[in-house]
Amino acid sequence: KTGKQYTVGELMKASLIVSGNDATALLARQLYGSENEFAKQMNKKAAEIGLKTAVFYNSTGLPVYPKDIQNKMSIRDLAKLSQYILNNYPEILDITSIKEIKDPNSDKIFENTNPLLGTIEGVDGLKTGNTRKAGSCLVWTMRTSGDLPGRLLGVHLGFKKGEIRDRVLTQYANFVKDNYSVNSWVSKDRPIYLYVKDAPNKFIPIYPQDEFNDRAFNDYDLQISLNEGLSLPFKAGDVIGSIALTHNGITHFSTGLIIKNNFGKKKFC
């Protein structure tokens, strides 16, 4: 309301905890003079991050009427944006994990709109959303525990009603939490089979010397290299090559490939 004053922190809480559209609009106008100018900065930042489908027209995500212009972003880009925020501004979780806030200018209490917060252990974010065309949506994240603690991230769009979203995603998040496992890219116990034309059994299992586990969204390229001049027989313990995982031209992991059992006597090319 006219004349009421709020701190930036209060507006951030209202935006992230209870999806206060008025709070995001006030922040946008205060920073860049108008939501239109603020949206231009959003689109510029989206391009810098590498969000290929993101198009913003305002700070709220609401359609622009009466033209019915829609803000847009794919599930993949929402996941990429969320990961970027969590990696670069983890303090956002200090806000999104708050269960309720009080309006500093009244006695009214507002509850966090995230249906998983306080319901699923470890959930501490991230953001709900709702428009007629997008449906009821939720980007959620939780801490994991155990031998390899980490963080899970879920992005869900298109539920017809908030009640359906809340019920389904509570079940889903519980299932994910109970069945979470680390993505094992390379395992010392999982062989790679080498086809050798002159070998008695044709396919020889070779094993990585070390293993690589990862919880990131990276799509690694797997590269296998064999040593030159290889010939049978192979003896247990022989290192005959290497395996490497690369991402965007950077090698994140490499290890040797060894023979665990004796194989064959014939020479091969």
Side-chain angles (χ1 to χ4, degrees):
K1 294 182 179 180
T2 301
K4 298 293 184 181
Q5 293 187 351
Y6 299 89
T7 66
V8 170
E10 289 167 345
L11 293 173
M12 287 293 291
K13 288 180 179 179
S15 301
L16 293 167
I17 297 172
V18 296
S19 290
N21 295 315
D22 48 358
T24 67
L26 182 54
L27 281 168
R29 294 166 188 170
Q30 191 70 23
L31 284 169
Y32 288 100
S34 69
E35 282 199 74
N36 184 53
E37 288 300 317
F38 184 76
K40 290 180 181 178
Q41 296 300 318
M42 293 174 70
N43 289 315
K44 180 180 178 181
K45 187 66 176 181
E48 292 175 1
I49 297 172
L51 307 182
K52 297 180 180 180
T53 65
V55 180
F56 302 112
Y57 295 98
N58 53 35
S59 65
T60 65
L62 293 174
V64 181
Y65 293 120
K67 296 181 180 180
D68 195 27
I69 297 174
Q70 304 284 336
N71 297 271
K72 298 178 182 180
M73 193 175 351
S74 69
I75 281 184
R76 182 182 296 276
D77 276 351
L78 275 168
K80 190 171 185 178
L81 174 61
S82 300
Q83 187 184 26
Y84 173 85
I85 293 171
L86 291 170
N87 287 337
N88 292 278
Y89 306 99
E91 60 270 21
I92 194 174
L93 297 172
D94 295 335
I95 299 177
T96 59
S97 59
I98 296 173
K99 294 182 179 180
E100 61 181 26
I101 57 173
K102 179 180 177 294
D103 184 346
N105 286 305
S106 72
D107 294 327
K108 193 171 183 178
I109 301 295
F110 296 92
E111 293 186 355
N112 196 312
T113 56
N114 186 345
L116 304 184
L117 187 69
T119 302
I120 309 297
E121 183 181 358
V123 170
D124 50 8
L126 199 54
K127 186 69 179 64
T128 56
N130 184 37
T131 68
R132 179 171 54 84
K133 290 192 174 182
S136 291
C137 312
L138 177 66
V139 178
W140 61 275
T141 184
M142 68 159 62
R143 302 180 307 278
T144 60
S145 57
D147 296 334
L148 290 170
R151 177 167 294 280
L152 300 177
L153 177 69
V155 181
H156 304 269
L157 311 180
F159 287 94
K160 292 184 178 180
K161 294 182 179 180
E163 296 83 357
I164 299 174
R165 176 200 66 190
D166 298 353
R167 182 179 71 252
V168 171
L169 293 189
T170 298
Q171 297 172 347
Y172 180 80
N174 271 316
F175 172 83
V176 171
K177 179 182 178 183
D178 293 340
N179 293 276
Y180 164 76
S181 63
V182 173
N183 186 9
S184 178
W185 285 88
V186 178
S187 172
K188 292 187 289 186
D189 299 320
R190 189 169 66 238
I192 297 167
Y193 287 92
L194 176 66
Y195 175 74
V196 181
K197 181 180 179 181
D198 293 330
N201 58 356
K202 305 300 182 186
F203 292 94
I204 295 178
I206 53 180
Y207 292 83
Q209 289 180 298
D210 294 303
E211 52 191 40
F212 181 78
N213 299 317
D214 187 26
R215 286 180 295 268
F217 293 130
N218 294 327
D219 294 322
Y220 292 106
D221 294 319
L222 189 149
Q223 299 176 345
I224 295 176
S225 301
L226 297 178
N227 298 337
E228 295 183 2
L230 291 175
S231 62
L232 293 175
F234 289 154
K235 295 181 295 182
D238 284 351
V239 178
I240 67 167
S242 63
I243 183 172
L245 295 176
T246 64
H247 180 65
N248 291 336
I250 299 174
T251 299
H252 290 259
F253 171 82
S254 63
T255 188
L257 292 169
I258 65 170
I259 299 291
K260 287 190 175 182
N261 297 295
N262 298 328
F263 285 98
K265 297 181 179 180
K266 296 182 179 180
K267 185 177 181 179
F268 75 98
C269 297

